[in-house]
Amino acid sequence: MRGASALIFGGLLLAAPVCAAQTIPWKDVNGWSVLIDPSTGNDCFISTMYEDGTILRLGFNFFQSQSQIYLALGNSDWKSLEVGKDYPVQIQFDRNPVWNATVQGIDFGGINFLSVSTTDTNFAEEFSRKLGMRATFNGREVAAFGLKGSARRSLK
């Protein structure tokens, strides 16, 4: 089991909007959009929207003093999320060991998101090699997604 210390949490995405209107599309591949975000020093991210309206964004933020990988999940139906509140969640890729993390509720453009960041490159490695991701809160699954097409070889 991975410890909470593996993930650095907080307000990274407050400075890096999740769905910034000024993002620049680069490429669409297998249901994923690869974009550039000028508001974070032209950092790259990938994003997809699932059938239930959930938006997933994974990106790299080099704008910080220490480069970080971030993950954000948002959905306009997530009305119970409190902006600024921290939530302990477990993130798991396929059947790999669980990442314990504290995510923060943020609002961007009227949509509630959960955001988390890390400097551990294994997080992005697992994301790119696995077929699914689950997030649980208080022992209850709050999100489960397929990651089909997220592999590096698919996004080239």
Side-chain angles (χ1 to χ4, degrees), residues 2 6-8 67 69 99 117-125:
R2 305 232 164 91
L7 293 177
I8 300 168
S67 298
I69 300 160
W99 293 82
S117 62
T118 181
T119 57
D120 188 339
T121 57
N122 289 324
F123 188 84
E125 183 75 18

Side-chain angles (χ1 to χ4, degrees), residues 13 15-28 32-48 55-61 70 72 108 113:
L13 291 179
V18 176
C19 296
Q22 68 271 22
T23 59
I24 301 166
W26 181 67
K27 193 177 206 180
D28 287 325
W32 294 86
S33 296
V34 181
L35 301 113
I36 300 166
D37 191 344
S39 72
T40 60
N42 293 322
D43 293 332
C44 307
F45 68 94
I46 59 171
S47 183
T48 194
I55 300 165
L56 183 152
R57 176 173 170 164
L58 179 83
F60 300 92
N61 188 329
Y70 64 86
F108 184 75
F113 278 83

Side-chain angles (χ1 to χ4, degrees), residues 3-13 64 66-71 99-104 115-120 123:
S5 62
L7 293 177
I8 300 168
F9 47 87
L12 168 67
L13 291 179
Q64 304 289 321
Q66 184 175 11
S67 298
Q68 297 178 340
I69 300 160
Y70 64 86
L71 173 73
W99 293 82
N100 289 302
T102 300
V103 299
Q104 185 176 62
S115 68
V116 65
S117 62
T118 181
T119 57
D120 188 339
F123 188 84

